[in-house]
Amino acid sequence: MSLVRPFDKLPTLNSAAILQLVGTDERRQQQLAEAILKEKKNFKINIHVATSLPLPAERDHVRPRINLIAFMINMQSKHSLRNVEASLSHIDANFFLGKVCFLITGVGRMNHCSVEMNAVRKLGNLYCSPVLFCELDSEGIRVATAQRLLRMLQICAGHVPGVSALFFSSLMKSSIDE
């Protein structure tokens, strides 16, 4: 069992990598990855998709440095939340210094939710990570979420001078708390 560490590999020039973890809905995960890749950017992006952690150790030598981890939780699936909670133990504590976010989907259909809103908010507070609510069925919201993740990735990879992931995360955190 290996931990995903934020600084275990050297950064690559003009490149960034995002790891998306999904509890149950791989279709939405793929749609979001495609939306991110369609966005205009001035750096190379690698998107790695996994359903849970730990990542396979035998592929570690070809895996690039991971700059941002986006955990996707479907509000209509308790399995999705449990999967994310179980995967969190395989993340090095330094990742929670601005390099993790939680994407919450399925909020638009609150009468079908099986996960309580307080559970995901508590998760964000416990791990000091931003919680982003998005309805990925809508193309407009999917594109906006892709743009937001791309900007976060750009900051986490160090491509924005004068802004660190921790500083950016603290700005997002304070806006949520208010």
Side-chain angles (χ1 to χ4, degrees):
M1 175 168 76
S2 64
L3 255 68
V4 178
R5 299 179 193 282
F7 305 112
D8 63 344
K9 297 181 180 187
L10 292 173
T12 311
L13 187 63
N14 293 326
S15 181
I18 184 171
L19 175 65
Q20 291 184 10
L21 297 171
V22 174
T24 56
D25 198 347
E26 293 179 24
R27 182 181 59 84
R28 284 194 181 100
Q29 179 185 24
Q30 192 62 37
Q31 288 175 335
L32 184 58
E34 290 170 6
I36 292 170
L37 290 173
K38 286 180 186 176
E39 288 300 312
K40 184 180 177 188
K41 53 203 158 298
N42 58 357
F43 61 96
K44 182 183 170 209
I45 185 170
N46 294 308
I47 300 175
H48 297 275
V49 177
T51 54
S52 63
L53 290 179
L55 296 172
E58 63 270 3
R59 305 264 316 142
D60 192 46
H61 66 285
V62 294
R63 190 177 302 119
R65 176 180 176 166
I66 296 171
N67 302 106
L68 175 66
I69 300 176
F71 289 100
M72 293 178 72
I73 300 171
N74 184 347
M75 291 295 285
Q76 299 169 4
S77 169
K78 287 185 180 181
H79 173 68
S80 175
L81 178 63
R82 284 192 302 264
N83 185 36
V84 167
E85 289 173 333
S87 295
L88 287 167
S89 64
H90 300 283
I91 302 290
D92 184 86
N94 288 322
F95 253 110
F96 297 107
L97 298 175
K99 293 179 178 271
V100 170
C101 71
F102 296 100
L103 295 176
I104 312 303
T105 65
V107 180
R109 291 171 246 113
M110 288 302 287
N111 54 345
H112 292 84
C113 289
S114 58
V115 176
E116 290 193 28
M117 193 67 72
N118 284 340
V120 295
R121 284 194 177 119
K122 209 179 280 188
L123 201 60
N125 287 334
L126 181 65
Y127 289 98
C128 301
S129 299
V131 177
L132 308 174
F133 295 94
C134 54
E135 195 58 56
L136 297 178
D137 288 335
S138 164
E139 186 174 347
I141 295 175
R142 189 170 45 246
V143 168
T145 302
Q147 291 169 347
R148 194 171 194 184
L149 281 175
L150 193 59
R151 186 63 175 166
M152 289 173 67
L153 178 60
Q154 191 176 17
I155 291 168
C156 290
H159 297 302
V160 179
V163 181
S164 71
L166 183 58
F167 176 70
F168 181 69
S169 179
S170 67
L171 286 177
M172 288 187 68
K173 192 71 180 149
S174 64
S175 67
I176 291 172
D177 291 340
E178 292 173 7

